Amino acid sequence: MRILVTGGTGNVGRSVVEQLVRAGVTVRVLTRGPSRLPPGPVEVFTGDLADPQNLRPALAGVDRMYLFPFPATAPAVVRLAERAGVRRIVTLSSGAVSTGYDTNFHLPVEQAVERSALEWTHVRPAEFMLNNLWLWGPSIRAERVVREPFPDRTGRPVHERDIADVATAALLGAEHHGAAYTLYGPETISRRDQVRLIAGAIGQEIRLEVVTPARARELYLAQGGFAAASADFLTGFQTYSGDAPGSGPAEPPAAAAPGPMPTAADVTGTPARPFAAWAREHADDFRG
């Protein structure tokens, strides 16, 4: 069995590669460059989902595929995979598809896969715990401070390794065809408590400064990267699907709904990882 992992150098894909290597299958990684390659014996092919025609060599001889979301070319990529003899695709999607908020990014990728004759599984994680590293990491490392507009908003963020566990199970197992797995973390936790747990993990106080949505938006845009790309949505100035912002912030991103929610444990049988464990694993990333 040969499995192609697109996005194999990313935070989820990298863990998928490591698990597949341990499982003893032949793993092929598609990458735009040689940096941050996963450890272990893998086949490396240079390519970019933005240019489907250059994927032909990477798809040759592949049985199964982990598909990173790139909606603009998803139909063409799926057609090429089907012609190359790929039999199963597992997509990295989003919990926002399950809730109906995502209509123009992950959903079109899912639809392209479902229109094919291939076996498919969609993995739909909710908010990544990793978002906090990308959003708060710079200010924690530089100042030991988090500036947050909605400190008491609650969520159920999910560990990136839980996402990878489910994707790996779907790639290897025969019982996941036609499933869309929505994944949440195992606990409802506020932004304030997330900061507290990160502080405990690094062993230093982190000051939580409550700011207005408008001020938070300014800070995120100035920070760049994930913070800038998500600034309007995170501060309530824009919907998930990117509707144009109005003259002021809309409602803040919704709090977590009450009651039990699906986690990786429903698929793997292993308890989902809590936020405190994630914070300890990433303590050095926050210390700087």
Side-chain angles (χ1 to χ4, degrees):
M1 182 192 305
R2 176 176 280 106
I3 298 178
L4 173 64
V5 180
T6 65
T9 60
N11 293 289
V12 176
R14 189 178 182 87
S15 183
V16 170
V17 169
E18 292 171 357
Q19 293 186 49
L20 292 174
V21 168
R22 287 198 299 270
V25 302
T26 301
V27 182
R28 181 172 292 177
V29 176
L30 181 75
T31 178
R32 289 180 293 181
S35 63
R36 295 190 70 234
L37 283 175
V42 299
E43 301 174 351
V44 179
F45 280 70
T46 301
D48 193 331
L49 290 171
D51 183 7
Q53 294 305 315
N54 71 17
L55 304 185
R56 292 180 185 275
L59 286 165
V62 167
D63 304 288
R64 302 173 187 186
M65 180 181 181
Y66 169 82
L67 183 58
F68 187 82
F70 195 86
T73 63
V77 170
V78 172
R79 285 194 298 270
L80 285 170
E82 197 168 8
R83 292 169 188 164
V86 174
R87 294 182 292 109
R88 179 182 303 173
I89 292 181
V90 174
T91 65
L92 176 62
S93 187
S94 169
V97 175
S98 302
T99 58
Y101 289 111
D102 185 314
T103 59
N104 59 6
F105 191 82
H106 294 91
L107 180 60
V109 179
E110 290 192 7
Q111 292 171 332
V113 175
E114 291 180 21
R115 284 194 295 265
S116 74
L118 304 177
E119 296 178 3
W120 57 265
T121 308
H122 305 314
V123 182
R124 296 176 175 174
E127 175 190 0
F128 285 35
M129 293 179 185
L130 267 172
N131 290 359
N132 292 311
L133 178 57
W134 301 328
L135 187 66
W136 295 339
S139 64
I140 290 177
R141 289 190 293 270
E143 307 173 69
R144 296 295 189 261
V145 64
V146 166
R147 297 178 177 92
E148 168 62 39
F150 309 117
D152 297 311
R153 179 177 69 87
T154 59
R156 289 187 173 94
V158 59
H159 196 301
E160 64 271 15
R161 286 169 57 197
D162 284 342
I163 304 166
D165 288 350
V166 173
T168 302
L171 286 164
L172 296 177
E175 68 274 22
H176 305 284
H177 171 51
Y181 294 125
T182 304
L183 304 179
Y184 292 89
E187 60 196 335
T188 300
I189 184 170
S190 70
R191 307 290 284 163
R192 187 184 303 276
D193 283 340
Q194 290 173 47
V195 173
R196 177 181 57 79
L197 289 171
I198 295 170
I202 69 173
Q204 296 183 29
E205 182 181 353
I206 298 174
R207 179 168 56 88
L208 175 61
E209 180 181 327
V210 181
V211 297
T212 65
R215 176 57 178 156
R217 181 175 180 270
E218 291 176 359
L219 294 168
Y220 296 161
L221 290 171
Q223 182 171 304
F226 169 82
S230 308
D232 284 333
F233 170 68
L234 291 174
T235 54
F237 282 85
Q238 192 177 71
T239 68
Y240 182 93
S241 292
D243 292 341
S247 58
E251 292 297 315
M261 302 293 277
T263 72
D266 297 308
V267 181
T268 66
T270 301
R273 298 168 174 92
F275 190 90
W278 178 88
R280 290 192 296 271
E281 291 173 21
H282 290 278
D284 287 344
D285 298 322
F286 283 107
R287 289 191 186 101

